[in-house]
Amino acid sequence: MAVGSAISSPLGPAACDKDAKALQFIEETTRNADLVQEKVLAEILARNANTEYLKRFNLNGATDRDTFKSKLPMITYEDLQPEIQRIANGDRSPILSAHPISEFLTSSGTSAGERKLMPTIQEELDRRQLLYSLLMPVMNLYVPGLDKGKGLYFLFVKSETKTPGGLLARPVLTSYYKSEHFKTRPYDPYNVYTSPNEAILCPDSFQSMYTQMLCGLIQRNQVLRLGAVFASGLLRAIRFLQLNWTQLVHDLKTGTLNPKITDLALKETMTRILKPDPEMSNFITKECSKENWEGILTRIWPNTKYLDVIVTGAMAQYIPTLDYYSGGLPLACTMYASSECYFGLNLNPMCKPSEVSYTIMPNMAYFEFLPHEPNSAGWTTRDSPPKLVDLVDVEVGKEYELVISTYAGLCRYRVGDILRVTGFHNSAPQFHFVRRKNVLLSIDSDKTDEAELQKAVENALQLLKEFNTSVVEYTSYADTKTIPGHYVIYWELLVKDSANSPSGEVLSQCCLAMEESLNSVYRQGRVADNSIGPLEIRVVKNGTFEELMDYAISRGASINQYKVPRCVNFTPIMELLDSRAVSTHFSPALPHWTPERKR
Ligand code: AMP
C-alpha cells in the first residue's frame, strides 16, 4: 500500500508526503490560475523594465495587463533575429532580459535552415525542474508501486557549439541532463533509472545507446516503465537492439564490455555493473533470435506497466508500431514543453493517446492565445490583429495558437503550436495538441515545411536539366513503417527526349540533392542521430496526378480550387500513388552536416 495513501488531494490520494506537496501545488496554482498569471506578468515586466526591448514600447514601469496588451506587439522568431544575433555575437547589455543570458537553447524549429536560438537564463532551469518534479506525483496516482523498481529511459545529449560571443548553444534536454539539477539529483525511490549518468552523458550516440541498453537488459526484471522523450526515440532503441543484440548478449554472457565502448568514465561505470550472467544471456538470445518481434518489449521487460513517450502531435504516427512491439501497453504522454518554455503536464497520463490533454501550468510564463480558425488562411498584416485571449478565458472546443511571454525575455512570442481546449482543471485550461503550424513532414524532431520541400525539389531539378526533364507534379509522405522512418517524394516526370532520360543513378543523386537542401535538423537526424533514413523518390506514371485530382473531385473537392496536396497520408491516396510507381530511388550518401551553424 502507498505509504501516505491517507494524504488526500482533489487529484487523488498521494503516494507519499513529497507527492502530496506537489499535488497541492498543482491544485493551488490551477485554482488561482488568473492571479498567478497576473503575478507572473508583473514579475516579468518589473524585472525586465530596463531592457532595451521593453523600453522601446514605453511601458514606463507599468506591469499591468492592459498596458502590456495595448503596447506590445505579437511577434515571431524572425522579428527578434537582430536582437538574438547581437546576443549571440557577445553583446551582454540587457537587450531582452535583465538577467544575464546563460546560454542559447537550440530549438528543433528552424529559421533560414538553421535551428532557432532561444536565449535562456539560469533560473529557467529551476522552473523546468519544478515541472519535472510534478510528473511522478501525478503518475503515482494512477500506477501504484513505481518505487519498487526502475525506469529504463533512453536519454541522450547532443552536440553543442559556441556562438561567436562565447555562449553555449545546445538543445534544452542536453542543457538539463548536463545540469547539476539532473546530475546530482537526490535519490527518489519513485524515479530511479537503469541508465547511469555516465551513459546518458556520453556524447557518442552509439556508446550511449549501447550501454543504456545493456544496463536495461541487466536489470530487466526491475524495469517497471520504459521510455524516451518521443516515440521515435523508443523505436530507435528497439531497432538498435535488433542490430546489436548478438554483441549485447556476448557481453552479458562473458561479463566483458564491447571494445567499442571507449569512453573512460563510462567504461569504469560499466565494469562495476556488468557481471557474467549466462542465464540472462541465453534468455535474451532466445527472444531476440525469434523471427517475430511482436510484443518483444514485454517479453524482455516483463514487469513494464507503461511506455513513457510522447505520442501526441506528429508522433501519433508511431502508435501502431509501438503497440506492435509492446503488445498494447498503455502509452503515457506526461508533458508538453519547448525550448522557449516548459508549458504543462498531463494530469491523466494513463488515458488513451487520442484523449491526451495538457494542463498549462500558470506559473511557467504568461500565456495568451490567438484564436485560430481551422480552415482560414489566418490574418494578414493588413487586417487589424485579432485580440489575444488570456489563459483562463479560452473557450472549450475552440482552437488557438499559443503566444508566450517568458522570464527570459520573449514577449508575446508566437510558439507556432495550435491547441484545442478540451476542458479545465480548476481554472486552468487543458489542451489537446492539434498540430504545429506549417509542418508538412516530420520523422523525429525534424520539421519540414512546404517552402523547404519546394526548395529541395528545385535543387534536385538542377540535375535533370541536362536530360531535358522536368517534374510535372510532386507530393510527399513521411514513411514510418521503416525504422528509422524516411521521407518519400512522389515525382511525376516529363521526359522530353526519351533517348536521353535520366538514369536511376541520376535520380538517386536527386534524392541526395534534396537532402542537402533540407534544414539542419533534418540533416543532423540523418548524419549524427541516425533517426531519419535515406530520402526516397518514387517516380509515378504520367497522368497519376490527374488521377489524384479526379479522386479528390469525386470526393467533393472543387475543380477551381483544387491544389495538389504537398503531403499525403490518406490510405486510398497512398495506394493510388504506390500502384502507379514505376521506379524507386534512394539517397546514396549522407548529406553534409556539422554542429557549426552557417550563421
Ligand atoms: P523544441 O523547441 O525543439 O523543443 O520543440 C518544441 C515543440 O515540440 C513544441 O512547440 C511542440 O510543437 C512539440 N512538442 C513538445 N511537446 C509535445 C507534446 N507533448 N505533444 C506534441 N508536440 C509536442
Side-chain angles (χ1 to χ4, degrees), residues 142-207:
Y142 296 89
V143 186
L146 289 174
D147 55 336
K148 306 292 181 295
K150 299 187 178 182
L152 165 50
Y153 282 81
F154 295 95
L155 307 176
F156 301 92
V157 293
K158 290 195 182 184
S159 62
E160 46 191 42
T161 52
K162 283 222 162 122
T163 66
L167 283 171
L168 271 179
R170 54 189 180 178
V172 62
L173 290 174
T174 299
S175 162
Y176 177 65
Y177 300 144
K178 288 191 168 182
S179 73
E180 292 307 315
H181 287 75
F182 181 79
K183 285 196 294 192
T184 54
R185 59 198 184 276
Y187 175 78
D188 172 356
Y190 291 93
N191 220 355
V192 183
Y193 296 150
T194 53
S195 298
N197 285 356
E198 291 79 2
I200 296 170
L201 294 172
C202 176
D204 180 282
S205 61
F206 176 87
Q207 296 186 47

Side-chain angles (χ1 to χ4, degrees), residues 436-454:
R436 176 136 181 142
K437 267 191 339 184
N438 302 332
V439 173
L440 208 57
L441 290 164
S442 172
I443 295 288
D444 189 38
S445 51
D446 54 303
K447 301 170 174 69
T448 297
D449 69 22
E450 207 168 315
E452 288 169 322
L453 182 63
Q454 170 73 24

Side-chain angles (χ1 to χ4, degrees), residues 107-108 310 312-313 335-340 358 415 417 433 436:
S107 160
S108 60
I310 292 177
T312 42
M335 70 187 281
Y336 169 43
S338 76
S339 314
E340 292 91 331
Y358 298 103
V415 174
D417 288 348
F433 181 93
R436 176 136 181 142

